[in-house]
């Protein structure tokens, strides 16, 4: 398996220092917090194999970094249209695509997310796919909450999840209604 060379950038944010990985085509491959670098490395090995990626410090700011800076400065849709790519399973990619369609300021339950991709009984699998998301914030897995509006687990920690939702003006009791989110169903 050929090794992908990914550019590594570090960004100081109100929620801690972030790591941003982009490929040679400038597509975003991974975002995580520096204190969760081990998790990011584990996901990279899981998605690309034990020697599937090589990291190199970036010499110039990427569009992904600029988008994340703008997001933290208040432009909550700064990454709209930002190209991303992942190596997850087809099911994981379907979940991650659906996550990108949750509007800013809205939350959905795992059950609603599962139903939106045509897999209403796959709530647990959706939760696992959500947890395997390598692109924090841009693929907004932080917008998924428990059916009882609880702030369930988050790879970056529940306090960061709470901060991100507040930053976006979301309140867990503001579930997006089915009509507000247009999800594509799996065939």
């Amino acid at each position: 398996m050929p090794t992908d060379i990914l550019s590594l950038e570090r960004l100081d944010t109100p929620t801690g220092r972030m790591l941003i990985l982009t490929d040679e085509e400038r597509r975003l491959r991974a975002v995580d917090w520096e204190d969760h670098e081990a998790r990011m490395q584990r996901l990279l090995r899981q998605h690309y194999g034990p020697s599937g990626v090589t990291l190199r410090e970036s010499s110039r700011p990427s569009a992904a970094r600029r988008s994340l800076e703008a997001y933290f400065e208040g432009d909550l849709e700064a990454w709209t249209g930002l190209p991303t790519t992942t190596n997850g399973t087809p099911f994981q990619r379907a979940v991650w695509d659906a996550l990108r369609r949750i509007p800013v300021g809205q939350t959905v339950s795992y059950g609603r997310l599962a139903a939106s991709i045509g897999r209403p009984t796959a709530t647990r699998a959706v939760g696992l796919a959500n947890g395997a998301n390598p692109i924090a914030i841009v693929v907004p897995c932080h917008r998924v909450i428990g059916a009882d509006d609880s702030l369930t687990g988050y790879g970056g920690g529940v306090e960061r999840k709470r901060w991100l939702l507040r930053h976006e003006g979301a309140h867990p009791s503001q579930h997006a209604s089915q009509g507000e989110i247009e999800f594509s169903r799996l065939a």
Side-chain angles (χ1 to χ4, degrees), residues 11-161:
L11 174 65
D12 290 322
T13 76
T15 60
R17 191 169 225 204
M18 297 197 86
L19 304 171
I20 304 164
L21 301 180
T22 53
D23 63 21
E24 293 172 335
E25 288 83 35
R26 299 183 177 145
R27 297 172 299 187
L28 184 60
R29 294 283 192 103
V31 174
D32 215 329
W33 283 270
E34 193 171 67
D35 60 337
H36 290 277
E37 184 173 3
R39 174 187 179 278
M40 183 184 76
Q41 293 289 348
R42 180 180 50 78
L43 288 175
L44 289 172
R45 283 190 304 278
Q46 180 181 352
H47 294 299
Y48 299 101
S51 58
V53 297
T54 300
L55 303 182
R56 295 206 176 126
E57 293 288 333
S58 180
S59 59
R60 59 190 169 108
S62 67
R65 178 193 171 107
R66 290 188 302 274
S67 293
L68 283 162
E69 286 172 332
Y71 169 81
F72 283 107
E73 291 170 3
D75 181 356
L76 301 178
E77 297 190 38
W79 61 72
T80 301
L82 185 67
T84 63
T85 193
T86 59
N87 241 14
T89 67
F91 179 81
Q92 288 172 326
R93 288 193 310 267
V95 170
W96 301 335
D97 287 344
L99 290 171
R100 287 196 81 174
R101 290 190 293 278
I102 302 170
V104 171
Q106 301 280 328
T107 58
V108 298
S109 68
Y110 291 94
R112 183 170 298 236
L113 188 60
S116 76
I117 63 168
R119 304 283 301 272
T121 62
T123 302
R124 196 171 296 237
V126 163
L128 291 172
N130 207 42
N133 170 25
I135 306 177
I137 301 177
V138 175
V139 177
C141 53
H142 63 277
R143 295 181 188 154
V144 183
I145 61 174
D148 63 355
D149 291 339
S150 62
L151 296 185
T152 56
Y154 181 62
V158 173
E159 285 308 310
R160 282 189 176 120
K161 182 174 192 165

